[in-house]
Every structure is written in structure tokens, then in C-alpha cells.
Amino acid sequence: MSSEPIDPTSSARAFYAVQLRRIRVAAKMTQADVGAHPAVMVSGKLIEAVENLRRAPTRRLSIGLDTALDLERFFLDLYAAIKRESGIPSEFLEYTEYEETASSIKDYENFLILGLLQTEEYDAPIYPSGAFIFLGFPDEPPVGYAESVNGLGRLVEPGREVTALGVTFDQIGAVALTPADSEKLIQAVLETM
């Protein structure tokens, strides 16, 4: 990113960045002060990155900024404009923020052969119908992300549903082949082609 000033009229994201810096400075807060606010809880470097257009804001961050800077839906409404402008689903943006701080990531991808087309010899007693990701954190409850059509997905907040994703992932792992056995199976299939 160049050191030239950001043109707030160039995009909703640029407007967000300029307004965040302006409001933060007017409140006599550093980037670290804003990030450390209990409603925000991110690093000062992340706040700096949003102000310099190196990182896109998320819905979670926008809600936290509104609280920390005593605003009523200002950044949340700007975030909605960014989402409309970018075409990226808001829950995916929020998921990426969680992913960055996760201490573990468990990713399950769909089968290559749909459940209806599988033979008894092919898959397994557990076959979820969609891809999902389970994120674990050292000091916070886990979060999930469920994939769906056209790359759209939804964030699965802590609770029964995300706990079920974790259990499903563990069940898959319990019936899956070991890495060595998986390699042998793939090699055997390739040799028959």
C-alpha cells in the first residue's frame, strides 16, 4: 500500500478506513486502545491494517467498534455497504477473522461420490452431506463454518450446533483410514486405472 492518503470516495471500504481513523483520533485513542477494548479484542496491528486497507473489516469488528467508540450502528452500517459492494458473504469475512486466531482447524470436505451413488464397499457409516470447518481456541468456545452452494456459507456460533460439528468430525476420524492406509488405498486404485 502506498503512503498516499486514502480517498474516502473511492469505495465503501476506503470510507470505513478513513472514518475509523478520524473517529479514533477524535476520541484520543490509539489503535492499540481501540483493539484492547472489551467489545473489540483484536490487536492494534489489525486496527492499523483496517485503517490502511490491508485488511477488510468484519461484522464482529464493526459491532465492537460501534460499542468502543460509542456510536449507534455507524460501522455496522458501513460494513453492510462494504459487503454489498464486494459481493463477499459477511459470514465468510467473519469466519476468516476467527480462523486467523484459531489454535486448531479441523476441515471436512464433501465426498467425491455422493451418498446416493456409493456402494457398500466405498465410504463409511458417517457421511455428512456438506463440507464444514471446526475451529478450536485455547480460551474460548469453538466456532464452526458450514459450506453451502456457490461458496456461500454460514458461521456456526458456539452452542449445540457447533458442538455437534465437533462430534461429527471426531466420529469421521474414528472410522477413517490411517494416513498410511489411505496412501496404500489411493496407490492401489491408481494402479488399476
Side-chain angles (χ1 to χ4, degrees), residues 98 101-103 134-144 156-159 162-163:
Y98 280 118
T101 61
S103 60
F134 182 84
L135 304 176
F137 303 92
D139 300 321
E140 296 176 33
V143 173
V156 183
E157 297 286 348
V162 79
T163 300

Side-chain angles (χ1 to χ4, degrees), residues 23 46 53 85-86 95 104 110 126 129 147 151 172 175 185:
I23 293 168
L46 188 137
L53 299 178
E85 201 174 77
S86 71
Y95 160 76
S104 68
N110 290 357
I126 298 167
S129 60
E147 294 283 348
I172 292 167
V175 298
L185 177 62

Side-chain angles (χ1 to χ4, degrees), residues 79-181:
Y79 173 75
I82 292 170
K83 180 184 165 208
R84 280 191 307 275
E85 201 174 77
S86 71
I88 299 172
S90 63
E91 290 195 344
F92 180 74
L93 291 174
E94 190 170 357
Y95 160 76
T96 60
E97 186 173 297
Y98 280 118
E99 184 181 60
E100 187 174 285
T101 61
S103 60
S104 68
I105 298 174
K106 298 177 181 179
D107 189 349
Y108 167 79
E109 294 296 331
N110 290 357
F111 293 103
L112 297 176
I113 299 175
L114 297 175
L116 290 176
L117 302 176
Q118 293 174 14
T119 65
E120 276 189 43
E121 296 81 30
Y122 181 77
D123 201 320
I126 298 167
Y127 40 89
S129 60
F132 65 89
I133 299 169
F134 182 84
L135 304 176
F137 303 92
D139 300 321
E140 296 176 33
V143 173
Y145 186 76
E147 294 283 348
S148 61
V149 177
N150 293 332
L152 301 175
R154 72 182 176 84
L155 194 65
V156 183
E157 297 286 348
R160 282 194 325 210
E161 193 175 3
V162 79
T163 300
L165 287 180
V167 169
T168 300
F169 194 91
D170 291 342
Q171 289 173 330
I172 292 167
V175 298
L177 294 175
T178 65
D181 289 341

